[in-house]
Amino acid sequence: MPALPSSLISSVSCAPALTVAETAGGLPGALAGLPDPRARRGVRHRLTVVVTAAVCAVVAGYRSYTAIAEWVADVPASTALALGMTPDRRPSEAMIRRLLQAVDPQLLTTAIGAWLAGRTTTAAPTNPQAIAVDGKALRGSRTTDTPARHVMTACDQATGVVLACVDVDDKTNEITRFAPLLDQISDLRDAVITADALHCQREHVTYLAQRGAHWILTVKGNQPHLHVQLTGLPWRAVPDAARDTDRGHGRREIRTLKILTISTGIDFPHAAQAIQIRRRRHRLDQPKRFTTETVYAITDLHVHHARPAQLAAWIRGHWSIENKVHWVRDVTYDEDRSQIRTGTGPEVMAALRNAAISALRLTGVTNIAAANRHHARDSTRPLALLGVT
């Protein structure tokens, strides 16, 4: 029996490597090598057209398959033509939904990440690139029979741009997906990778050493022997190397950082310095009631690689992935209440949200919700943002 038009038969082809010309141009060029999961017969709308239109809709604040289809149906004929659509024959909601439920999310993220990398400034940075790695559950994808989907993301601390993303299925965990995630980033030389205690693994630091990257890893109870070694160091005799104060959300926080160079006695490969971070907080209306938290970390960075203030900034900057990406997806895009659950739909929609947020961040946007409204008022604005001509 012949395949139905636009049927979602998996493609056996692999996505070719993107050229410099493709990543330096618009998003459609970067998506040109993405495998189409449909049979060739009966395809009316090219994959690049549908995915680019979906990203445009997400840039304008649209959150679901139905909303994306409404944006496509409502844009003027000139916008439809610019996207590569015939104005009187646009993709339907059913067609958009079936396609986005079958696209390979990792190949999609890799293509978008390469395009975003081509748009970043070519000026030499004053500091090494810092990349935060963290995972997030897509809570709305949970059903009575299956757990919520989980994705892991690598984000540039300075810009908030998502550089890579992989899914973490229920048969594995974030630890096994660490290397596949960072494999999507072509060059990690001299980059500083920050991650939480789950990724304080010997295999991870060996992998990063092979890629020429540096790392700062939090140490907690999942590495009990290492944690005991760090807490037993003579911290009382060590002066504060960095100190800063922050006030906001009705509280004041004082952070101090101490550093010890490791010569012997710490059983962890490539470790060069041990770090103690102490945070003292109090509510502004209760100035004498402090809570204190002490956290330990290790790094392969030597004294000459980074000053204490820079180490403190990278450690604090690790949470940029929460503030600049995960929080925006939850609050602005209401991701945790999304009912998209079929096929690869949850992961693909997360990739589209990451693409929209990252493209907006590269223009200097700090308020994503306001930027969504701005791009919703004129359908040509998302096209200009994504390089669609």
Side-chain angles (χ1 to χ4, degrees):
M1 180 179 177
L4 295 174
S6 300
S7 64
L8 300 178
I9 297 176
S10 297
S11 172
V12 296
S13 63
C14 296
L18 295 174
T19 65
V20 173
E22 288 172 333
T23 58
L27 180 61
L31 298 174
L34 191 65
D36 193 326
R38 302 169 293 181
R40 292 183 181 179
R41 182 179 178 182
V43 172
R44 295 176 180 174
H45 304 283
R46 289 179 292 119
L47 173 68
T48 55
V49 171
V50 177
V51 174
T52 302
V55 177
C56 286
V58 176
V59 166
Y62 291 73
R63 304 174 179 177
S64 65
Y65 298 141
T66 301
I68 291 171
E70 289 171 352
W71 184 89
V72 170
D74 290 343
V75 296
S78 58
T79 301
L81 287 170
L83 285 167
M85 303 175 189
T86 303
D88 58 353
R89 201 172 193 178
R90 308 185 189 198
S92 67
E93 186 276 339
M95 184 267 149
I96 294 170
R97 169 170 38 84
R98 291 199 304 267
L99 182 55
L100 295 184
Q101 287 173 351
V103 171
D104 186 315
Q106 185 163 333
L107 293 178
L108 174 63
T109 300
T110 301
I112 293 173
W115 172 69
L116 290 168
R119 298 188 64 198
T120 56
T121 179
T122 57
T126 56
N127 292 310
Q129 182 184 31
I131 300 173
V133 172
D134 195 27
K136 182 184 184 298
L138 307 176
R139 293 183 177 87
S141 63
R142 182 187 294 110
T143 67
T144 55
D145 301 320
T146 59
R149 309 286 182 90
H150 197 91
V151 295
M152 190 161 68
T153 304
C155 170
D156 184 287
Q157 284 193 13
T159 63
V161 171
V162 174
L163 304 174
C165 185
V166 294
D167 64 296
V168 182
D169 60 44
D170 56 2
K171 295 181 181 178
T172 183
N173 57 42
E174 286 189 23
I175 295 174
T176 61
R177 303 297 284 160
F178 183 83
L181 172 72
L182 294 179
D183 281 342
Q184 296 180 28
I185 304 174
S186 60
D187 188 3
L188 285 180
R189 286 175 298 176
D190 297 325
V192 178
I193 310 300
T194 62
D196 59 25
L198 178 64
H199 295 289
C200 187
Q201 306 289 333
R202 287 165 172 78
E203 296 81 2
H204 289 1
V205 299
T206 300
Y207 165 82
L208 293 174
Q210 293 170 350
R211 295 288 309 272
H214 298 290
W215 46 267
I216 304 173
L217 301 175
T218 304
V219 180
K220 292 185 178 178
N222 63 318
Q223 292 283 351
H225 180 62
L226 178 60
H227 189 260
V228 168
Q229 288 182 316
L230 292 179
T231 57
L233 292 174
W235 295 109
R236 290 182 179 274
V238 180
D240 293 343
R243 177 188 175 95
D244 67 284
T245 303
D246 190 21
R247 180 179 297 208
H249 305 286
R251 68 182 184 184
R252 181 170 178 258
E253 180 176 275
I254 303 170
R255 294 179 296 272
T256 59
L257 180 138
K258 296 182 177 182
I259 302 174
L260 274 174
T261 299
I262 301 171
S263 55
T264 59
I266 298 298
D267 183 22
F268 201 82
H270 307 290
Q273 296 188 93
I275 303 169
Q276 183 195 71
I277 308 103
R278 176 163 290 186
R279 305 182 181 104
R280 298 188 69 211
R281 305 183 184 95
H282 71 84
R283 290 174 49 177
L284 295 180
D285 58 350
Q286 296 178 343
K288 295 184 179 180
R289 295 186 61 180
F290 279 87
T291 60
T292 302
E293 178 189 21
T294 302
V295 178
Y296 296 93
I298 52 174
T299 179
D300 72 327
L301 291 162
H302 291 268
V303 175
H304 62 277
H305 285 142
R307 295 178 179 274
Q310 182 63 75
L311 290 175
W314 282 331
I315 292 169
R316 183 164 175 77
H318 174 72
W319 301 110
S320 62
I321 194 170
E322 290 284 349
N323 300 330
K324 295 181 179 179
V325 181
H326 294 170
W327 187 87
V328 175
R329 279 165 44 185
D330 282 342
V331 176
T332 303
Y333 287 106
D334 207 14
E335 182 175 77
D336 279 349
R337 292 199 298 173
S338 171
Q339 298 299 298
I340 295 174
R341 296 167 177 164
T342 305
T344 60
E347 295 90 343
V348 169
M349 286 302 298
L352 298 183
R353 295 180 193 111
N354 286 339
I357 294 168
S358 299
L360 291 169
R361 294 286 188 203
L362 284 177
T363 65
V365 166
T366 57
N367 188 325
I368 299 297
N372 289 160
R373 296 190 295 270
H374 171 80
H375 286 81
R377 291 194 293 270
D378 185 342
S379 65
T380 63
R381 290 171 180 170
L383 272 61
L385 178 73
L386 303 180
V388 179
T389 56

